[in-house]
Amino acid sequence: LKGDHTLRESVCRSLRLLTLVAFAVLAMVALPALAEEDPFAGALFPPDLVFSRMSDLDLDAAQVTAIKEEVRMAQSYFLDRQLDLQAEMGKLRKSVEPARVDESATLAQLDRVLALEREIKRAQVGLLVRIKNLLRPEQQERLAAMARGSQRP
């Protein structure tokens, strides 16, 4: 009887932890999609938008070269972090598979996953800021107007 009670507690604890991890992962994936507006829309500009509007923006050769170099460095960084993130997510998944889950180890692993995601998001915003700083004010104004125009239904 006592063994059944202990097993039941263990299963309940594991289910609670699994639920917590599932909600954390869901929040990481779903909440950004639920946001109605991009907080940076019209203020920061993704490289694909800048490159697709190069002629409209009258980018000079130095700007094009500098933006390309920023994107090259960022892509390399993002690839490395993405591979790290996949490995850490795999470890998180494995940590919740046993019948008895080590809560502190799982939460520590979740912290590692969240730290990598934060690093990636920080680097993404940094790239956008560096691109913006390479643009002249009138180029930024044109891109902001283009972004506003593309948001209309």
Side-chain angles (χ1 to χ4, degrees):
L1 199 67
K2 184 175 177 165
D4 287 343
H5 181 66
T6 305
L7 178 61
R8 188 175 303 126
E9 282 181 8
S10 175
V11 169
C12 285
R13 215 172 324 149
S14 295
L15 286 174
R16 282 193 301 264
L17 184 57
L18 185 57
T19 301
L20 172 69
V21 171
F23 277 119
V25 171
L26 179 64
M28 291 183 297
V29 173
L31 287 181
L34 294 176
E36 288 187 24
E37 285 189 35
D38 176 1
F40 301 125
L44 296 177
F45 315 104
D48 56 325
L49 175 63
V50 175
F51 285 127
S52 71
R53 303 302 182 131
M54 274 194 319
S55 60
D56 298 333
L57 297 172
D58 298 320
L59 294 178
D60 61 43
Q63 287 176 305
V64 171
T65 300
I67 293 170
K68 281 182 180 179
E69 185 57 28
E70 289 293 342
V71 170
R72 255 188 230 108
M73 289 187 313
Q75 285 176 332
S76 174
Y77 178 83
F78 293 143
L79 176 62
D80 289 344
R81 293 297 78 73
Q82 187 64 35
L83 293 173
D84 294 343
L85 181 60
Q86 287 175 356
E88 295 301 324
M89 284 296 291
K91 291 176 188 176
L92 179 60
R93 166 93 170 119
K94 281 187 181 284
S95 77
V96 298
E97 287 178 355
R100 188 160 179 84
V101 176
D102 181 342
E103 181 177 1
S104 62
T106 297
L107 293 177
Q109 184 59 37
L110 177 62
D111 287 341
R112 286 188 283 280
V113 168
L114 295 174
L116 277 169
E117 288 185 341
R118 181 186 178 283
E119 261 185 65
I120 292 168
K121 288 185 183 301
R122 189 174 192 282
Q124 288 170 333
V125 172
L127 172 64
L128 297 179
V129 167
R130 288 189 303 277
I131 289 172
K132 180 175 183 171
N133 288 339
L134 290 168
L135 299 171
R136 294 185 304 273
E138 65 273 9
Q139 293 169 322
Q140 294 175 24
E141 290 169 15
R142 281 189 226 149
L143 278 170
M146 291 174 202
R148 281 191 302 273
S150 70
Q151 288 177 349
R152 293 188 184 130

PDB file of all heavy atoms in Angstrom, residues 57-83:
ATOM      1  N   LEU A  57      16.492  52.534 -52.087  1.00  0.00           N
ATOM      2  CA  LEU A  57      17.159  53.189 -50.965  1.00  0.00           C
ATOM      3  C   LEU A  57      18.430  53.922 -51.357  1.00  0.00           C
ATOM      4  O   LEU A  57      18.980  54.675 -50.559  1.00  0.00           O
ATOM      5  CB  LEU A  57      17.510  52.151 -49.881  1.00  0.00           C
ATOM      6  CG  LEU A  57      16.333  51.448 -49.228  1.00  0.00           C
ATOM      7  CD1 LEU A  57      16.822  50.312 -48.334  1.00  0.00           C
ATOM      8  CD2 LEU A  57      15.495  52.448 -48.436  1.00  0.00           C
ATOM      9  N   ASP A  58      18.897  53.688 -52.577  1.00  0.00           N
ATOM     10  CA  ASP A  58      20.162  54.281 -53.028  1.00  0.00           C
ATOM     11  C   ASP A  58      21.302  53.949 -52.076  1.00  0.00           C
ATOM     12  O   ASP A  58      22.061  54.828 -51.653  1.00  0.00           O
ATOM     13  CB  ASP A  58      20.038  55.811 -53.184  1.00  0.00           C
ATOM     14  CG  ASP A  58      19.004  56.207 -54.222  1.00  0.00           C
ATOM     15  OD1 ASP A  58      18.928  55.529 -55.278  1.00  0.00           O
ATOM     16  OD2 ASP A  58      18.263  57.180 -53.980  1.00  0.00           O
ATOM     17  N   LEU A  59      21.418  52.654 -51.739  1.00  0.00           N
ATOM     18  CA  LEU A  59      22.529  52.234 -50.889  1.00  0.00           C
ATOM     19  C   LEU A  59      23.834  52.415 -51.649  1.00  0.00           C
ATOM     20  O   LEU A  59      23.912  52.087 -52.839  1.00  0.00           O
ATOM     21  CB  LEU A  59      22.388  50.762 -50.499  1.00  0.00           C
ATOM     22  CG  LEU A  59      21.216  50.369 -49.593  1.00  0.00           C
ATOM     23  CD1 LEU A  59      21.225  48.856 -49.377  1.00  0.00           C
ATOM     24  CD2 LEU A  59      21.281  51.093 -48.268  1.00  0.00           C
ATOM     25  N   ASP A  60      24.848  52.926 -50.968  1.00  0.00           N
ATOM     26  CA  ASP A  60      26.150  53.024 -51.637  1.00  0.00           C
ATOM     27  C   ASP A  60      26.919  51.713 -51.432  1.00  0.00           C
ATOM     28  O   ASP A  60      26.511  50.854 -50.642  1.00  0.00           O
ATOM     29  CB  ASP A  60      26.940  54.241 -51.151  1.00  0.00           C
ATOM     30  CG  ASP A  60      27.258  54.221 -49.670  1.00  0.00           C
ATOM     31  OD1 ASP A  60      27.645  53.154 -49.145  1.00  0.00           O
ATOM     32  OD2 ASP A  60      27.137  55.289 -49.029  1.00  0.00           O
ATOM     33  N   ALA A  61      28.012  51.563 -52.149  1.00  0.00           N
ATOM     34  CA  ALA A  61      28.783  50.315 -52.125  1.00  0.00           C
ATOM     35  C   ALA A  61      29.280  49.987 -50.723  1.00  0.00           C
ATOM     36  O   ALA A  61      29.279  48.819 -50.313  1.00  0.00           O
ATOM     37  CB  ALA A  61      29.950  50.399 -53.099  1.00  0.00           C
ATOM     38  N   ALA A  62      29.693  50.996 -49.980  1.00  0.00           N
ATOM     39  CA  ALA A  62      30.193  50.768 -48.616  1.00  0.00           C
ATOM     40  C   ALA A  62      29.081  50.224 -47.718  1.00  0.00           C
ATOM     41  O   ALA A  62      29.321  49.328 -46.897  1.00  0.00           O
ATOM     42  CB  ALA A  62      30.775  52.057 -48.040  1.00  0.00           C
ATOM     43  N   GLN A  63      27.872  50.746 -47.867  1.00  0.00           N
ATOM     44  CA  GLN A  63      26.744  50.258 -47.068  1.00  0.00           C
ATOM     45  C   GLN A  63      26.430  48.804 -47.410  1.00  0.00           C
ATOM     46  O   GLN A  63      26.229  47.983 -46.520  1.00  0.00           O
ATOM     47  CB  GLN A  63      25.497  51.121 -47.303  1.00  0.00           C
ATOM     48  CG  GLN A  63      25.548  52.494 -46.666  1.00  0.00           C
ATOM     49  CD  GLN A  63      24.336  53.314 -47.029  1.00  0.00           C
ATOM     50  OE1 GLN A  63      24.037  53.504 -48.211  1.00  0.00           O
ATOM     51  NE2 GLN A  63      23.633  53.796 -46.021  1.00  0.00           N
ATOM     52  N   VAL A  64      26.393  48.504 -48.698  1.00  0.00           N
ATOM     53  CA  VAL A  64      26.086  47.141 -49.140  1.00  0.00           C
ATOM     54  C   VAL A  64      27.124  46.174 -48.581  1.00  0.00           C
ATOM     55  O   VAL A  64      26.783  45.122 -48.023  1.00  0.00           O
ATOM     56  CB  VAL A  64      26.005  47.047 -50.683  1.00  0.00           C
ATOM     57  CG1 VAL A  64      25.905  45.598 -51.141  1.00  0.00           C
ATOM     58  CG2 VAL A  64      24.831  47.862 -51.207  1.00  0.00           C
ATOM     59  N   THR A  65      28.384  46.528 -48.703  1.00  0.00           N
ATOM     60  CA  THR A  65      29.467  45.670 -48.208  1.00  0.00           C
ATOM     61  C   THR A  65      29.361  45.479 -46.694  1.00  0.00           C
ATOM     62  O   THR A  65      29.484  44.353 -46.193  1.00  0.00           O
ATOM     63  CB  THR A  65      30.841  46.287 -48.569  1.00  0.00           C
ATOM     64  OG1 THR A  65      30.917  46.403 -49.992  1.00  0.00           O
ATOM     65  CG2 THR A  65      31.976  45.428 -48.057  1.00  0.00           C
ATOM     66  N   ALA A  66      29.120  46.561 -45.970  1.00  0.00           N
ATOM     67  CA  ALA A  66      29.041  46.486 -44.504  1.00  0.00           C
ATOM     68  C   ALA A  66      27.846  45.640 -44.058  1.00  0.00           C
ATOM     69  O   ALA A  66      27.964  44.816 -43.138  1.00  0.00           O
ATOM     70  CB  ALA A  66      28.956  47.889 -43.909  1.00  0.00           C
ATOM     71  N   ILE A  67      26.704  45.819 -44.707  1.00  0.00           N
ATOM     72  CA  ILE A  67      25.515  45.043 -44.342  1.00  0.00           C
ATOM     73  C   ILE A  67      25.741  43.568 -44.668  1.00  0.00           C
ATOM     74  O   ILE A  67      25.403  42.691 -43.863  1.00  0.00           O
ATOM     75  CB  ILE A  67      24.253  45.598 -45.035  1.00  0.00           C
ATOM     76  CG1 ILE A  67      23.931  47.000 -44.481  1.00  0.00           C
ATOM     77  CG2 ILE A  67      23.067  44.659 -44.823  1.00  0.00           C
ATOM     78  CD1 ILE A  67      22.860  47.744 -45.253  1.00  0.00           C
ATOM     79  N   LYS A  68      26.320  43.279 -45.816  1.00  0.00           N
ATOM     80  CA  LYS A  68      26.612  41.884 -46.170  1.00  0.00           C
ATOM     81  C   LYS A  68      27.525  41.243 -45.132  1.00  0.00           C
ATOM     82  O   LYS A  68      27.321  40.092 -44.744  1.00  0.00           O
ATOM     83  CB  LYS A  68      27.272  41.801 -47.552  1.00  0.00           C
ATOM     84  CG  LYS A  68      26.331  41.927 -48.706  1.00  0.00           C
ATOM     85  CD  LYS A  68      27.097  41.787 -50.012  1.00  0.00           C
ATOM     86  CE  LYS A  68      26.204  41.909 -51.215  1.00  0.00           C
ATOM     87  NZ  LYS A  68      26.962  41.800 -52.487  1.00  0.00           N
ATOM     88  N   GLU A  69      28.531  41.964 -44.692  1.00  0.00           N
ATOM     89  CA  GLU A  69      29.467  41.425 -43.702  1.00  0.00           C
ATOM     90  C   GLU A  69      28.755  41.177 -42.367  1.00  0.00           C
ATOM     91  O   GLU A  69      28.983  40.152 -41.719  1.00  0.00           O
ATOM     92  CB  GLU A  69      30.661  42.372 -43.510  1.00  0.00           C
ATOM     93  CG  GLU A  69      31.721  41.832 -42.586  1.00  0.00           C
ATOM     94  CD  GLU A  69      32.290  40.477 -43.002  1.00  0.00           C
ATOM     95  OE1 GLU A  69      32.305  40.145 -44.212  1.00  0.00           O
ATOM     96  OE2 GLU A  69      32.723  39.724 -42.105  1.00  0.00           O
ATOM     97  N   GLU A  70      27.901  42.083 -41.959  1.00  0.00           N
ATOM     98  CA  GLU A  70      27.133  41.896 -40.717  1.00  0.00           C
ATOM     99  C   GLU A  70      26.267  40.640 -40.814  1.00  0.00           C
ATOM    100  O   GLU A  70      26.193  39.840 -39.887  1.00  0.00           O
ATOM    101  CB  GLU A  70      26.255  43.115 -40.419  1.00  0.00           C
ATOM    102  CG  GLU A  70      27.004  44.350 -39.989  1.00  0.00           C
ATOM    103  CD  GLU A  70      27.685  44.218 -38.637  1.00  0.00           C
ATOM    104  OE1 GLU A  70      27.342  43.310 -37.845  1.00  0.00           O
ATOM    105  OE2 GLU A  70      28.574  45.040 -38.367  1.00  0.00           O
ATOM    106  N   VAL A  71      25.609  40.474 -41.953  1.00  0.00           N
ATOM    107  CA  VAL A  71      24.737  39.310 -42.158  1.00  0.00           C
ATOM    108  C   VAL A  71      25.560  38.025 -42.172  1.00  0.00           C
ATOM    109  O   VAL A  71      25.173  37.029 -41.551  1.00  0.00           O
ATOM    110  CB  VAL A  71      23.902  39.467 -43.449  1.00  0.00           C
ATOM    111  CG1 VAL A  71      23.173  38.179 -43.798  1.00  0.00           C
ATOM    112  CG2 VAL A  71      22.912  40.617 -43.297  1.00  0.00           C
ATOM    113  N   ARG A  72      26.708  38.036 -42.847  1.00  0.00           N
ATOM    114  CA  ARG A  72      27.582  36.853 -42.882  1.00  0.00           C
ATOM    115  C   ARG A  72      27.999  36.429 -41.472  1.00  0.00           C
ATOM    116  O   ARG A  72      27.922  35.256 -41.116  1.00  0.00           O
ATOM    117  CB  ARG A  72      28.826  37.143 -43.713  1.00  0.00           C
ATOM    118  CG  ARG A  72      28.812  36.497 -45.049  1.00  0.00           C
ATOM    119  CD  ARG A  72      30.154  36.646 -45.776  1.00  0.00           C
ATOM    120  NE  ARG A  72      29.860  37.147 -47.107  1.00  0.00           N
ATOM    121  CZ  ARG A  72      30.096  38.373 -47.553  1.00  0.00           C
ATOM    122  NH1 ARG A  72      30.698  39.254 -46.822  1.00  0.00           N
ATOM    123  NH2 ARG A  72      29.741  38.721 -48.758  1.00  0.00           N
ATOM    124  N   MET A  73      28.436  37.389 -40.678  1.00  0.00           N
ATOM    125  CA  MET A  73      28.876  37.074 -39.316  1.00  0.00           C
ATOM    126  C   MET A  73      27.704  36.565 -38.482  1.00  0.00           C
ATOM    127  O   MET A  73      27.846  35.611 -37.715  1.00  0.00           O
ATOM    128  CB  MET A  73      29.512  38.302 -38.659  1.00  0.00           C
ATOM    129  CG  MET A  73      30.864  38.655 -39.257  1.00  0.00           C
ATOM    130  SD  MET A  73      31.777  39.983 -38.405  1.00  0.00           S
ATOM    131  CE  MET A  73      30.549  41.246 -38.168  1.00  0.00           C
ATOM    132  N   ALA A  74      26.552  37.187 -38.645  1.00  0.00           N
ATOM    133  CA  ALA A  74      25.369  36.781 -37.878  1.00  0.00           C
ATOM    134  C   ALA A  74      24.920  35.377 -38.279  1.00  0.00           C
ATOM    135  O   ALA A  74      24.567  34.569 -37.410  1.00  0.00           O
ATOM    136  CB  ALA A  74      24.237  37.787 -38.085  1.00  0.00           C
ATOM    137  N   GLN A  75      24.935  35.069 -39.561  1.00  0.00           N
ATOM    138  CA  GLN A  75      24.510  33.740 -40.010  1.00  0.00           C
ATOM    139  C   GLN A  75      25.380  32.649 -39.404  1.00  0.00           C
ATOM    140  O   GLN A  75      24.880  31.611 -38.972  1.00  0.00           O
ATOM    141  CB  GLN A  75      24.538  33.645 -41.535  1.00  0.00           C
ATOM    142  CG  GLN A  75      23.393  34.361 -42.194  1.00  0.00           C
ATOM    143  CD  GLN A  75      23.486  34.349 -43.711  1.00  0.00           C
ATOM    144  OE1 GLN A  75      24.573  34.275 -44.288  1.00  0.00           O
ATOM    145  NE2 GLN A  75      22.339  34.449 -44.365  1.00  0.00           N
ATOM    146  N   SER A  76      26.664  32.882 -39.361  1.00  0.00           N
ATOM    147  CA  SER A  76      27.577  31.916 -38.770  1.00  0.00           C
ATOM    148  C   SER A  76      27.262  31.729 -37.287  1.00  0.00           C
ATOM    149  O   SER A  76      27.184  30.604 -36.779  1.00  0.00           O
ATOM    150  CB  SER A  76      29.022  32.390 -38.959  1.00  0.00           C
ATOM    151  OG  SER A  76      29.901  31.546 -38.275  1.00  0.00           O
ATOM    152  N   TYR A  77      27.060  32.823 -36.602  1.00  0.00           N
ATOM    153  CA  TYR A  77      26.739  32.789 -35.180  1.00  0.00           C
ATOM    154  C   TYR A  77      25.406  32.058 -34.957  1.00  0.00           C
ATOM    155  O   TYR A  77      25.296  31.204 -34.084  1.00  0.00           O
ATOM    156  CB  TYR A  77      26.665  34.213 -34.620  1.00  0.00           C
ATOM    157  CG  TYR A  77      26.282  34.270 -33.166  1.00  0.00           C
ATOM    158  CD1 TYR A  77      27.244  34.092 -32.179  1.00  0.00           C
ATOM    159  CD2 TYR A  77      24.964  34.486 -32.792  1.00  0.00           C
ATOM    160  CE1 TYR A  77      26.892  34.139 -30.835  1.00  0.00           C
ATOM    161  CE2 TYR A  77      24.616  34.532 -31.456  1.00  0.00           C
ATOM    162  CZ  TYR A  77      25.577  34.353 -30.480  1.00  0.00           C
ATOM    163  OH  TYR A  77      25.218  34.390 -29.151  1.00  0.00           O
ATOM    164  N   PHE A  78      24.387  32.407 -35.754  1.00  0.00           N
ATOM    165  CA  PHE A  78      23.068  31.795 -35.592  1.00  0.00           C
ATOM    166  C   PHE A  78      23.108  30.294 -35.856  1.00  0.00           C
ATOM    167  O   PHE A  78      22.442  29.525 -35.170  1.00  0.00           O
ATOM    168  CB  PHE A  78      22.029  32.456 -36.510  1.00  0.00           C
ATOM    169  CG  PHE A  78      21.716  33.881 -36.147  1.00  0.00           C
ATOM    170  CD1 PHE A  78      21.488  34.817 -37.129  1.00  0.00           C
ATOM    171  CD2 PHE A  78      21.652  34.294 -34.825  1.00  0.00           C
ATOM    172  CE1 PHE A  78      21.194  36.135 -36.807  1.00  0.00           C
ATOM    173  CE2 PHE A  78      21.361  35.604 -34.491  1.00  0.00           C
ATOM    174  CZ  PHE A  78      21.136  36.535 -35.481  1.00  0.00           C
ATOM    175  N   LEU A  79      23.865  29.870 -36.838  1.00  0.00           N
ATOM    176  CA  LEU A  79      23.975  28.447 -37.128  1.00  0.00           C
ATOM    177  C   LEU A  79      24.567  27.708 -35.926  1.00  0.00           C
ATOM    178  O   LEU A  79      24.035  26.678 -35.498  1.00  0.00           O
ATOM    179  CB  LEU A  79      24.823  28.199 -38.373  1.00  0.00           C
ATOM    180  CG  LEU A  79      25.072  26.729 -38.717  1.00  0.00           C
ATOM    181  CD1 LEU A  79      23.761  26.013 -39.004  1.00  0.00           C
ATOM    182  CD2 LEU A  79      26.026  26.613 -39.888  1.00  0.00           C
ATOM    183  N   ASP A  80      25.643  28.231 -35.382  1.00  0.00           N
ATOM    184  CA  ASP A  80      26.262  27.604 -34.205  1.00  0.00           C
ATOM    185  C   ASP A  80      25.287  27.542 -33.032  1.00  0.00           C
ATOM    186  O   ASP A  80      25.147  26.510 -32.376  1.00  0.00           O
ATOM    187  CB  ASP A  80      27.522  28.368 -33.778  1.00  0.00           C
ATOM    188  CG  ASP A  80      28.674  28.198 -34.739  1.00  0.00           C
ATOM    189  OD1 ASP A  80      28.629  27.272 -35.577  1.00  0.00           O
ATOM    190  OD2 ASP A  80      29.624  28.996 -34.655  1.00  0.00           O
ATOM    191  N   ARG A  81      24.603  28.652 -32.756  1.00  0.00           N
ATOM    192  CA  ARG A  81      23.665  28.686 -31.623  1.00  0.00           C
ATOM    193  C   ARG A  81      22.472  27.776 -31.866  1.00  0.00           C
ATOM    194  O   ARG A  81      21.964  27.153 -30.952  1.00  0.00           O
ATOM    195  CB  ARG A  81      23.166  30.113 -31.359  1.00  0.00           C
ATOM    196  CG  ARG A  81      24.196  31.111 -30.868  1.00  0.00           C
ATOM    197  CD  ARG A  81      24.841  30.824 -29.516  1.00  0.00           C
ATOM    198  NE  ARG A  81      25.872  29.837 -29.496  1.00  0.00           N
ATOM    199  CZ  ARG A  81      27.121  29.951 -29.965  1.00  0.00           C
ATOM    200  NH1 ARG A  81      27.512  31.032 -30.548  1.00  0.00           N
ATOM    201  NH2 ARG A  81      27.979  28.957 -29.861  1.00  0.00           N
ATOM    202  N   GLN A  82      22.008  27.685 -33.118  1.00  0.00           N
ATOM    203  CA  GLN A  82      20.873  26.815 -33.438  1.00  0.00           C
ATOM    204  C   GLN A  82      21.232  25.362 -33.182  1.00  0.00           C
ATOM    205  O   GLN A  82      20.433  24.600 -32.634  1.00  0.00           O
ATOM    206  CB  GLN A  82      20.432  27.020 -34.893  1.00  0.00           C
ATOM    207  CG  GLN A  82      19.165  26.291 -35.254  1.00  0.00           C
ATOM    208  CD  GLN A  82      17.951  26.781 -34.485  1.00  0.00           C
ATOM    209  OE1 GLN A  82      17.828  27.957 -34.178  1.00  0.00           O
ATOM    210  NE2 GLN A  82      17.043  25.891 -34.168  1.00  0.00           N
ATOM    211  N   LEU A  83      22.441  24.979 -33.579  1.00  0.00           N
ATOM    212  CA  LEU A  83      22.885  23.606 -33.327  1.00  0.00           C
ATOM    213  C   LEU A  83      23.007  23.346 -31.826  1.00  0.00           C
ATOM    214  O   LEU A  83      22.610  22.283 -31.330  1.00  0.00           O
ATOM    215  CB  LEU A  83      24.214  23.340 -34.031  1.00  0.00           C
ATOM    216  CG  LEU A  83      24.145  23.350 -35.564  1.00  0.00           C
ATOM    217  CD1 LEU A  83      25.542  23.258 -36.164  1.00  0.00           C
ATOM    218  CD2 LEU A  83      23.248  22.243 -36.082  1.00  0.00           C
TER     219      LEU A  83
END
